[in-house]
Amino acid sequence: MLLRNTLSDYRSPLDSSDADALGVEAALAVERFLQHREGTAPTPMVSLPAVARRLGVGSIYVKDEGQRLGLGSFKALGGAYAVIQIVLELASQRWGRPVDISEWRSREVATLASGMTVTCATDGNHGRSVAQGAQLVGANCVVFVHAGVSEARCRAIARYGARIERVQGNYDDSVASASKIAAERGWIVVSDTSWLGYERIPHLVMQGYTALLREALGALPKPPTHVFIQAGVGGIAAATAAHFSLVFGNDRPFFTVVEPAQAACLLESARAGQIVQVPHDRPTVMAMLECYEPSLVAWRILTRVADAFMTVEDDEAVAMMKELAFPVDGDPAIVAGESGAVGLAGLAKVAGEPALRAEIGLDSNACVFLINTEGATDPALYEKLVGTRPEHVTG
């Protein structure tokens, strides 16, 4: 299923707050922050010429976030960045002067942070990033996880010193619990989803993602013509669409948002013309994308700069995980988690339908950009789905 964007805001200018948070200047600020973090290195840009030939497009480039900052996901860039920026902003207020990013490891900042508690809800990856940011700056951290989050992912979060709180229900239930308890106890919610009256911190999280986009644009041999990006609440999709629209203007690539068929909150919102919450009666293997209501900020951005919305089934996502793990005709192998290969699954689905190819101009000259948003963040699940352990994937 592919739904073209016909919303009234389509092709309207971005809201000024969104443009400020996700433009080039904001991305440069994130780059400066990363210069002060250990382990910072650009993630690979991988070309897949054999897959491109099979799908009948000119080229496919995948930004592989599977090793980002030791967390194995693009979300390493968002939550940690937001936590440290929040601490620096509070320090600036307390001390009556601007506190620069170069001071974030100081004893004074650590003392201030030690009296703070940050919290969030997570499917796994965002919680690890928030926990890591809290550990780096010396803050306390409590992470709420829902019933579907695996013990392996909980242990990965706890390794950064966070306390784990289990919540019955789904991701949206954990978001509600985190917000309620934080309000009662004076904690700071560092969420990657937004709602009415809560946008500043999600903007910071999304701003962190722009670092990978700057890297990507520097590594691509030419501007992309098409982009397929997966979405849960919509953060990485909206950040990518917004940044590319600000960089390329009217020459921006055709942008398609790809969701699990079982959790297509953005597609159904686009169909309805307003944010809707979709039923959560069927789980999806794409655990990091199992979200049932869009982020307000992401929705506002995507109504203006996304060109189409589509869904893929679990078996289609798993098939692309396997294709990336066991490439043919000389393509390099990529370890993609169950939500990492969803953009490629969307591309493959459209490429196999002549009418859809014609509708979006996907031809033999197309240059397609994708993001492998995560590696094998749950190795046991990866082995179950792909048939081999992630460390055995080579090439």
Side-chain angles (χ1 to χ4, degrees), residues 138-226:
N140 304 296
C141 183
V142 180
V143 176
F144 290 77
V145 299
H146 60 85
V149 178
S150 70
E151 286 300 324
R153 290 197 166 105
C154 288
R155 289 193 297 270
I157 297 168
R159 278 199 292 269
Y160 292 99
R163 190 173 89 231
I164 306 298
E165 292 287 343
R166 278 279 185 186
V167 175
Q168 293 302 310
N170 58 38
Y171 173 76
D172 294 333
D173 296 315
S174 63
V175 170
S177 293
S179 181
K180 178 178 181 294
I181 294 175
E184 294 170 351
R185 301 185 184 180
W187 299 346
I188 299 172
V189 177
V190 183
S191 178
D192 59 351
T193 191
S194 60
W195 50 86
L196 190 63
Y198 180 77
E199 295 187 6
R200 165 67 179 151
I201 291 173
H203 263 146
L204 286 174
V205 173
M206 293 170 68
Q207 183 178 329
Y209 303 157
T210 60
L212 78 89
L213 303 173
R214 287 271 301 169
E215 291 176 9
L217 292 179
L220 285 167
K222 59 183 178 180
T225 61
H226 294 76

Side-chain angles (χ1 to χ4, degrees), residues 15-302:
D15 183 90
S16 60
S17 64
D18 300 330
D20 289 344
L22 299 169
V24 173
E25 289 301 317
L28 291 173
V30 180
E31 286 185 356
R32 183 165 180 265
F33 161 71
L34 289 173
Q35 291 170 4
H36 294 272
R37 279 202 61 177
E38 295 178 2
T40 293
T43 51
M45 178 70 80
V46 182
S47 174
L48 300 177
V51 178
R53 287 192 299 272
R54 181 176 71 79
L55 298 182
V57 298
S59 53
I60 298 173
Y61 294 95
V62 181
K63 183 69 166 157
D64 184 6
E65 292 294 296
Q67 300 298 321
R68 177 69 71 175
L69 289 168
L71 265 71
S73 164
F74 78 98
K75 290 200 172 184
L77 292 166
Y81 175 76
V83 168
I84 293 170
Q85 288 297 328
I86 290 164
V87 172
L88 294 178
E89 289 174 4
L90 181 59
S92 298
Q93 295 168 11
R94 292 276 182 90
W95 302 338
R97 65 172 179 84
V99 179
D100 187 71
I101 189 62
S102 61
E103 301 178 64
W104 74 276
R105 289 186 179 275
S106 69
R107 181 178 300 175
E108 293 79 8
V109 169
T111 299
L112 176 65
S114 67
M116 301 170 56
T117 298
V118 295
T119 188
C120 70
T122 189
D123 282 317
N125 292 336
H126 176 66
R128 291 176 72 193
S129 186
V130 169
Q132 186 186 58
Q135 184 183 71
L136 286 169
V137 81
N140 304 296
C141 183
V142 180
V143 176
F144 290 77
V145 299
H146 60 85
V149 178
S150 70
E151 286 300 324
R153 290 197 166 105
C154 288
R155 289 193 297 270
I157 297 168
R159 278 199 292 269
Y160 292 99
R163 190 173 89 231
I164 306 298
E165 292 287 343
R166 278 279 185 186
V167 175
Q168 293 302 310
N170 58 38
Y171 173 76
D172 294 333
D173 296 315
S174 63
V175 170
S177 293
S179 181
K180 178 178 181 294
I181 294 175
E184 294 170 351
R185 301 185 184 180
W187 299 346
I188 299 172
V189 177
V190 183
S191 178
D192 59 351
T193 191
S194 60
W195 50 86
L196 190 63
Y198 180 77
E199 295 187 6
R200 165 67 179 151
I201 291 173
H203 263 146
L204 286 174
V205 173
M206 293 170 68
Q207 183 178 329
Y209 303 157
T210 60
L212 78 89
L213 303 173
R214 287 271 301 169
E215 291 176 9
L217 292 179
L220 285 167
K222 59 183 178 180
T225 61
H226 294 76
V227 176
F228 290 78
I229 301 292
Q230 50 270 59
V233 296
I236 184 59
T240 306
H243 190 73
F244 282 11
S245 72
L246 292 166
V247 170
F248 293 113
N250 291 333
D251 295 326
R252 66 180 187 248
F254 190 96
F255 194 94
T256 303
V257 179
V258 188
E259 296 177 280
Q262 300 93 323
C265 59
L266 286 160
L267 182 145
E268 294 303 332
S269 295
R271 191 194 308 280
Q274 61 184 3
I275 286 182
V276 299
Q277 186 178 61
V278 298
H280 41 82
D281 51 356
R282 291 189 301 150
T284 172
V285 74
M286 295 168 261
M288 300 300 106
L289 308 179
E290 192 170 352
C291 305
Y292 300 98
E293 185 173 359
S295 164
L296 177 62
V297 168
W299 167 249
R300 183 173 64 220
I301 291 170
L302 292 170

